[in-house]
């Protein structure tokens, strides 16, 4: 009985933690939740500095990942769709739109489900879709240089 959340409701009949699964995961202490007061302040500062220009088209093309291993693929579909890159093949009916399943040209989806994709594979997939990619590794440059590259990429 101690496994049930207090207060009743629909979750009162469900264990707080089922074997091997979870609902949400805590954010690491050094990360800032987007909707927190600090997250909102950072967003406001970025807006004022005009570092959020890409946010609007990305938000218009937001997608939830269809599989836990698809974080890279889903991010790439959002970026490709926000850049208005034509996939050159239909998604559904006459609509041409990127989805994760369309990004299997370099690695089978079954492998992506099992292993995910690396940043290099992400860049390769983007290039295969005619995106202009300038790959940077944070570990290969100073934090100041990396932040400047991000600033330049985020301004109009």
């Amino acid at each position: 009985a101690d496994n049930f959340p207090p207060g009743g409701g629909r979750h009162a009949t469900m264990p707080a933690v089922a074997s091997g699964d979870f609902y949400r995961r805590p954010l690491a202490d050094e990360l800032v939740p987007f909707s927190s007061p600090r997250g909102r302040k950072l967003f406001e500062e970025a807006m004022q500095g005009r570092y959020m220009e890409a946010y609007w088209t990305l938000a218009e093309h937001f997608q939830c990942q269809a599989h836990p291993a698809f974080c890279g693929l889903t991010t790439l579909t959002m970026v490709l769709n926000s850049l208005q890159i034509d996939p050159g093949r239909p998604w559904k009916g006459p609509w041409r739109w990127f989805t994760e399943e369309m990004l299997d040209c370099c690695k089978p989806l079954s492998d992506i489900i099992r292993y995910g994709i690396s940043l290099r594979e992400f860049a390769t997939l983007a290039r295969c879709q005619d995106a202009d990619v300038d790959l940077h590794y944070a570990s290969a440059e100073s934090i100041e240089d990396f932040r400047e590259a991000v600033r330049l990429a985020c301004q109009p």
Side-chain angles (χ1 to χ4, degrees), residues 22-66:
F22 55 87
Y23 173 72
R24 302 184 66 182
R25 292 177 70 178
L27 204 54
D29 290 338
E30 67 272 10
L31 300 178
V32 179
F34 184 62
S35 62
S36 71
R38 181 156 181 249
R40 291 169 189 244
K41 177 114 175 91
L42 288 170
F43 187 89
E44 181 182 332
E45 290 170 3
M47 287 288 297
Q48 290 172 352
R50 299 207 53 206
Y51 296 115
M52 295 296 289
E53 294 303 309
Y55 171 80
W56 304 112
T57 56
L58 286 169
E60 286 177 341
H61 296 92
F62 178 80
Q63 291 181 317
C64 289
Q65 63 195 63

Side-chain angles (χ1 to χ4, degrees), residues 58 61 63 70-83 85 98-100 102-106 117-131 133:
L58 286 169
H61 296 92
Q63 291 181 317
F70 283 1
C71 51
L73 293 185
T74 305
T75 299
L76 185 53
T77 63
M78 288 175 55
V79 170
L80 294 169
N81 288 325
S82 71
L83 291 172
I85 294 176
F98 281 103
T99 63
E100 297 100 329
M102 298 171 83
L103 299 175
D104 62 350
C105 61
C106 302
I117 62 171
S118 68
L119 182 58
R120 182 175 303 279
E121 290 170 326
F122 180 97
T124 299
L125 278 171
R127 288 183 185 111
C128 288
Q129 309 308 318
D130 295 326
V133 178

